[in-house]
Amino acid sequence: MEQNDISSRIVFADRGKVNVEKGVEFAPKFDQNGLIPALAMDHITHEPLMLAYMNAESLRMTMELGEAVYYSRSRQEIWHKGATSGHVQKVKQILVDCDQDALIVLVDQCGAGACHTGHHSCFYRSVPFGDELKAQPQGGGRHAA
């Protein structure tokens, strides 16, 4: 399907004309770079899989295709998750927060995993805090797996 076909079929509400917090209209708020954060989570366990960004085009493509499509900030291009690796994310639901400036994309992660490192989730390390941080030697910074 052509990008223009998707763009003309899926129209976001005008944020200036709707009640963003209590209305039913979808009026996503993109940042100054035209992006909105999208946290991909397993649709059954709600385990966080990866944090990516979408622009208006990739969000529309995601809605149309039913598979996660992101915007790669490093490559500055549309990125259909799994198009080359086969590790696609089948979208089950898209949730938007109260002021519509962040998304949770509940997915069925197909293939080996969401992370380019081969891990199931990009969130495979833990940062010490509180008592655990206080117990570490001075200058000791470790990353728990």
Side-chain angles (χ1 to χ4, degrees):
M1 176 173 286
E2 292 280 326
Q3 172 197 337
N4 292 338
D5 292 342
I6 293 172
S7 295
S8 64
R9 292 177 60 194
I10 298 173
V11 179
F12 303 133
D14 182 341
R15 290 183 61 83
K17 297 182 179 178
V18 299
N19 183 336
V20 174
E21 293 178 347
K22 299 199 181 202
V24 296
E25 297 87 1
F26 185 40
K29 180 179 181 185
F30 299 95
D31 68 14
Q32 66 276 10
N33 298 313
L35 302 175
I36 188 169
L39 176 63
M41 297 175 66
D42 183 279
H43 75 104
I44 295 172
T45 66
H46 288 191
E47 173 188 17
L49 299 174
M50 59 180 276
L51 176 66
Y53 292 84
M54 292 182 174
N55 64 8
E57 179 185 359
S58 66
L59 178 52
R60 287 183 179 106
M61 290 175 71
T62 297
M63 294 168 68
E64 180 75 19
L65 298 172
E67 293 182 354
V69 180
Y70 302 106
Y71 182 80
S72 170
R73 296 179 302 165
S74 60
R75 295 187 310 266
Q76 296 191 354
E77 65 185 17
I78 297 293
W79 161 41
H80 186 167
K81 177 70 173 150
T84 55
S85 69
H87 305 166
V88 298
Q89 294 177 338
K90 301 282 186 182
V91 176
K92 300 299 183 178
Q93 187 176 24
I94 300 172
L95 303 172
V96 62
D97 74 339
C98 57
D99 55 356
Q100 299 196 38
D101 66 354
L103 304 172
I104 293 178
V105 184
L106 297 174
V107 301
D108 178 9
Q109 176 64 57
C110 303
C115 188
H116 73 281
T117 65
H119 287 86
H120 176 70
S121 168
C122 292
F123 297 97
Y124 56 89
R125 295 178 282 193
S126 176
V127 177
F129 67 96
D131 291 339
E132 182 182 358
L133 183 63
K134 292 174 191 169
Q136 289 187 356
Q138 205 56 353
R142 71 167 182 85
H143 296 285

